[in-house]
Amino acid sequence: MKTKSLKGTMLLAAMLVSFISLAQNRLIINADQGDVRINKHIYGHFAEHLGRSIYGGIWVGPDSDVPNEDGYRKDVMQALINLEIPNLRWPGGCFADEYHWTDGIGDPAERPKMVNTHWGGVIEDNSFGTHEFMNFAKKIGTEPYITGNVGSGSVVEMSKWIEYINFDGVSPMAELRKRNGQAEPWGIKYWGVGNESWGCGGNMTPEYYANEYRRYATYARDYGGNTLYKIAGGANNWDYNWTEVLMKNIPLEMMDGISLHYYTVAGTWENKGKATEFNKEEFLETLRKAALIDELIKRHGTIMDKYDPEKRIGMIIDEWGTWFQVEPGTNPGFLYQQNTMRDAHVAAISLNIFNKNADRVHMANLAQTVNVLQAVILTNDTDMILTPTYHVFDLYKPHKDATLLSHDLKSEEVGFGKEKMEALNVSTSRSADGTVNISIANINPDKKIDLDVVLRGIDAKTVTAEYITAPAINSHNTFENKEVVKKAAFKDFKLNKDNLKISVPANAILMVRVK
């Protein structure tokens, strides 16, 4: 009797363990609930005059041996067209507050040169200016987002730049634009009033910047039926006082967005760690730090809610991403770093969090597009590679302008010591045609996770999926081997009525689409 009793107890215990294991990794999606749109501009990008971002990355000039169209690299241009980027921020960054736009118009041979004091002390020849940027944006089908110079510029300088770009009648700046070959105004919408004014943009106090913003924004006028979306230079990381002062001192009708900058650093600012050489503990610590953006959004958002309960003012996270040591042998001021599966996970976690907070987060810009920090594209003289981060943005395209869905996730944990994180990180949305989009990152580098998905409010018939994964957490693409990390079809799932079982590979990021 005791033996039978013991066997029964062991069987019950095994069943309980099985049940707990199942419950640990369970996702319930309410496909018929949701009224917040995930703004496509959350998937924006950033190209600063920094290192080889513009010169050699986007622009090589019409006389270059690199295949180009009107001076723009064809390979980079096509890759960005395929990625369908919604907006591109330019010319900075720190560079924006030492950039004088009149130096970048007219005959390129006559444009004055300057020293890029922020980034490497190299010569900036201004061959890539307003016309080159606006034409590039048109070629790749993206909206321009320009940051104006508050730090070393003037109100009249910024006002005239907006007039040059947007005025549709008779004015000195409109006539100058026409003489430079652009008859019609570009009608730009997104305009940043300075950048990092607490630091490289002028080392201002929040009170001083708030007053300066009011002055500059007064003369940042709307022309020809075009309405500017004005973005105030917001806080860095945990500087909640900066947000409080700006929200209190700037009339809400004078701004449409307020920025927030947050970089994920593996180590410290003095020792940021290497981009490709790291262990499992450093990998998980980096992802833990990336996930802190959720706390920042909530805390800055709470301050914004006090003054703007309707959430009309957008939180604009226009600089985010990883920041590691530069690659050996490269100019320290060029911020060139490789891009691994760790970066891909940072991108997936960050985008999932932005989606979750889409009622407040209206735009975000990865730093940066080509050859700088967490780039989606790396180039050398004549060749190009797509990074793991590129493939995450490619996977996540269905989330753009989709409806954020309510979901409940229970996930097992992974970590080291007392630092633990959920191994699965998820975002769910519904496209206009009713397709449910499920993005899933499994940050456990060693373990496949069986996820039980309950689909409510949808009569599911078909499932398709794609993913990226790699043998190691530091796997990355090189010019010698471009497809170590790439997007591929995923088939390890099973649909049974309202239940979808997915075997999520270790160290993988998926996009599952159910219809």
Side-chain angles (χ1 to χ4, degrees):
M1 290 295 293
K2 288 183 179 180
T3 302
K4 288 183 179 180
S5 176
L6 180 60
K7 286 182 178 179
T9 301
M10 292 174 64
L11 179 61
L12 181 62
M15 291 173 63
L16 182 60
V17 168
S18 177
F19 175 77
I20 291 173
S21 177
L22 178 63
Q24 265 190 322
N25 302 297
R26 194 168 195 237
L27 175 64
I28 300 173
I29 302 174
N30 299 305
D32 56 352
Q33 295 181 16
D35 55 11
V36 174
R37 179 177 65 91
I38 299 171
N39 195 318
K40 68 179 180 180
H41 289 291
I42 284 173
Y43 291 81
H45 293 261
F46 174 28
E48 183 170 5
H49 286 243
L50 195 174
R52 295 188 298 109
S53 170
I54 300 295
Y55 302 109
I58 289 172
W59 177 257
V60 291
D63 299 326
S64 173
D65 292 335
V66 178
N68 70 86
E69 181 180 305
D70 302 325
Y72 308 102
R73 287 187 68 131
K74 283 187 175 181
D75 51 1
V76 170
M77 193 161 58
Q78 189 58 56
L80 294 178
I81 290 171
N82 294 343
L83 206 56
E84 300 171 7
I85 69 173
N87 70 76
L88 184 62
R89 182 176 182 242
W90 174 87
C94 292
F95 182 80
D97 281 295
E98 66 175 355
Y99 180 66
H100 301 284
W101 69 272
T102 53
D103 292 345
I105 59 173
D107 184 351
E110 298 179 2
R111 296 179 189 179
K113 295 178 173 61
M114 62 177 284
V115 176
N116 191 332
T117 58
H118 283 294
W119 305 120
V122 296
I123 297 298
E124 163 67 56
D125 68 3
N126 284 303
S127 59
F128 191 93
T130 301
H131 289 255
E132 289 77 20
F133 171 67
M134 298 299 288
N135 291 340
F136 181 68
K138 182 178 180 180
K139 283 177 180 290
I140 65 173
T142 193
E143 285 200 58
Y145 167 18
I146 290 181
T147 302
N149 182 345
V150 172
S152 69
S154 67
V155 170
V156 68
E157 181 181 19
M158 184 182 292
S159 178
K160 284 186 174 181
W161 198 6
I162 296 169
E163 180 186 336
Y164 185 89
I165 290 171
N166 282 355
F167 196 78
D168 62 340
V170 177
S171 82
M173 292 302 100
E175 293 305 308
L176 179 59
R177 183 192 69 233
K178 292 173 185 176
R179 290 199 299 272
N180 287 329
Q182 180 66 28
E184 297 300 319
W186 285 290
I188 188 175
K189 177 180 179 180
Y190 295 103
W191 193 269
V193 181
N195 167 78
E196 294 190 356
S197 299
W198 39 262
C200 65
N203 286 301
M204 303 175 192
T205 65
E207 291 82 6
Y208 183 85
Y209 172 75
N211 285 337
E212 286 293 275
Y213 175 89
R214 292 166 66 135
R215 194 163 68 96
Y216 276 75
T218 298
Y219 296 94
R221 295 187 173 98
D222 298 329
Y223 295 114
N226 181 73
T227 302
L228 283 180
Y229 185 102
K230 300 172 189 176
I231 300 168
N236 182 39
N237 297 339
W238 291 271
D239 188 352
Y240 302 116
N241 179 60
W242 188 279
T243 301
E244 180 83 42
V245 171
L246 265 56
M247 291 299 296
K248 178 181 179 181
N249 292 354
I250 298 174
L252 296 186
E253 64 271 16
M254 291 189 72
M255 67 176 172
D256 301 285
I258 182 170
S259 69
L260 172 65
H261 289 181
Y262 179 68
Y263 285 97
T264 299
V265 178
T268 64
W269 277 106
E270 294 73 28
N271 183 14
K272 297 181 179 68
K274 296 182 178 180
T276 59
E277 297 178 21
F278 52 89
N279 57 33
K280 179 179 175 180
E281 182 173 322
E282 291 169 315
F283 167 80
L284 293 171
E285 174 64 4
T286 303
L287 303 189
R288 185 191 69 81
K289 287 183 174 180
L292 291 177
I293 189 65
D294 193 31
E295 175 188 335
L296 293 177
I297 292 170
K298 285 181 169 59
R299 293 196 174 190
H300 285 285
T302 298
I303 296 168
M304 295 175 71
D305 288 346
K306 182 167 68 172
Y307 299 94
D308 175 35
E310 300 300 318
K311 300 184 189 294
R312 188 190 71 81
I313 307 299
M315 185 182 291
I316 312 298
I317 307 173
D318 55 16
E319 289 190 30
W320 68 272
T322 56
W323 196 323
F324 304 124
Q325 295 173 14
V326 301
E327 294 304 305
T330 65
N331 187 325
F334 283 11
L335 305 187
Y336 178 81
Q337 65 190 43
Q338 250 294 355
N339 194 290
T340 70
M341 277 299 297
R342 176 173 64 169
D343 296 88
H345 283 291
V346 169
I349 289 169
S350 301
L351 293 171
N352 286 346
I353 290 170
F354 298 161
N355 288 351
K356 183 177 74 170
N357 293 284
D359 59 340
R360 180 56 84 183
V361 178
H362 296 181
M363 179 189 285
N365 300 80
L366 175 72
Q368 292 186 16
T369 311
V370 188
N371 290 332
V372 173
L373 298 175
Q374 193 177 345
V376 294
I377 298 168
L378 301 177
T379 70
N380 59 19
D381 289 340
T382 59
D383 206 357
M384 177 196 79
I385 55 177
L386 305 178
T387 69
T389 297
Y390 179 99
H391 295 301
V392 173
F393 273 83
D394 197 16
L395 281 176
Y396 275 49
K397 285 191 289 189
H399 282 313
K400 295 177 186 175
D401 281 338
T403 299
L404 182 68
L405 292 180
S406 165
H407 72 253
D408 180 71
L409 172 68
K410 287 186 176 14
S411 168
E412 63 187 72
E413 293 183 327
V414 63
F416 54 93
K418 294 181 179 179
E419 300 292 350
K420 301 290 184 183
M421 290 178 64
E422 288 188 330
L424 298 180
N425 192 284
V426 169
S427 183
T428 57
S429 70
R430 183 182 65 246
S431 297
D433 66 355
T435 302
V436 172
N437 312 302
I438 312 167
S439 54
I440 308 167
N442 178 7
I443 68 171
N444 191 321
D446 306 314
K447 182 183 177 184
K448 177 185 76 171
I449 295 178
D450 292 324
L451 177 64
D452 192 50
V453 181
V454 179
L455 300 163
R456 293 177 177 168
I458 182 175
D459 184 17
K461 296 289 194 300
T462 62
V463 182
T464 58
E466 294 180 301
Y467 77 131
I468 64 171
T469 190
I473 53 179
N474 66 343
S475 293
H476 56 280
N477 297 331
T478 66
F479 292 101
E480 295 72 34
N481 193 345
K482 298 181 180 182
E483 296 192 338
V484 176
V485 182
K486 62 180 180 179
K487 188 175 71 169
F490 179 76
K491 300 290 187 182
D492 202 355
F493 57 79
K494 184 177 182 181
L495 176 66
N496 182 16
K497 296 182 180 179
D498 65 349
N499 181 259
L500 175 63
K501 295 186 183 300
I502 307 172
S503 292
V504 185
N507 189 32
I509 300 160
L510 286 68
M511 172 60 79
V512 181
R513 308 198 71 201
V514 182
K515 190 174 182 181

